Amino acid sequence: APERYVAIPGAAIQFRLDYPSYVLVTWHVHWSNDSQASEDKDFPDGGSHIRLFVNGKPADGGYDSAALTDSPQIRAVGQTCWPSSSSLSAALDNKLLRDRYKSRYWSGHIWLDQRNKGWHSVSLRVCSNTDVIQTRVRARSMKYIAFKRGDT
């Protein structure tokens, strides 16, 4: 459900358009978590995922599970941390190592057609399954470029 998603600080913008416009939005984030889900194949049942919202609603407009797995505006990540040793006690004590190459990266964009003048918002939001204790997100950028429509 969309209300379970939490906005990511640094990956949410609000902007005002002074005239009807087309808008290009770009972003770059990466994240990892301590899930035990097997990479991305357990999605949407395991791990954590990030979804794009436009004006408070999912950008893909989908609310069902098919939209979660097929949408270009959703990214998932499974396990990105492993026990620091082969012993079971290390895993139980949460002594985990994060592989620097296993974070999930998402450099994305969306073209927003026919935006009316006024205030608009775009945000990336994270949602995690109950098996995830923490999800670490680093928002590198979130930008927009507005192009005035030629018919105005």
Side-chain angles (χ1 to χ4, degrees), residues 111-132:
W111 178 257
L112 302 173
D113 271 342
Q114 308 291 332
R115 294 290 126 175
N116 294 324
K117 65 188 256 183
W119 287 97
H120 299 275
S121 65
V122 178
S123 61
L124 291 173
R125 302 180 186 184
V126 64
C127 183
S128 298
N129 194 17
T130 55
D131 72 327
V132 178

Side-chain angles (χ1 to χ4, degrees), residues 37-77:
S38 319
E39 301 302 327
D40 297 340
K41 67 181 178 184
D42 291 335
F43 174 73
D45 300 322
S48 58
H49 50 282
I50 293 180
R51 189 174 201 175
L52 179 69
F53 283 72
V54 176
N55 292 329
K57 297 179 182 167
D60 52 15
Y63 292 99
D64 59 358
S65 60
L68 287 175
T69 55
D70 295 336
S71 173
Q73 303 305 339
I74 299 175
R75 296 294 187 275
V77 67

Side-chain angles (χ1 to χ4, degrees), residues 99-118:
D99 185 341
R100 65 181 158 189
Y101 303 111
K102 290 294 185 180
S103 291
R104 181 71 190 254
Y105 291 83
W106 187 13
S107 294
H109 69 278
I110 188 169
W111 178 257
L112 302 173
D113 271 342
Q114 308 291 332
R115 294 290 126 175
N116 294 324
K117 65 188 256 183

Side-chain angles (χ1 to χ4, degrees), residues 13-18 55 116-121 144:
I13 56 174
Q14 187 174 24
F15 54 92
R16 180 174 161 24
L17 299 174
D18 293 329
N55 292 329
N116 294 324
K117 65 188 256 183
W119 287 97
H120 299 275
S121 65
Y144 78 96

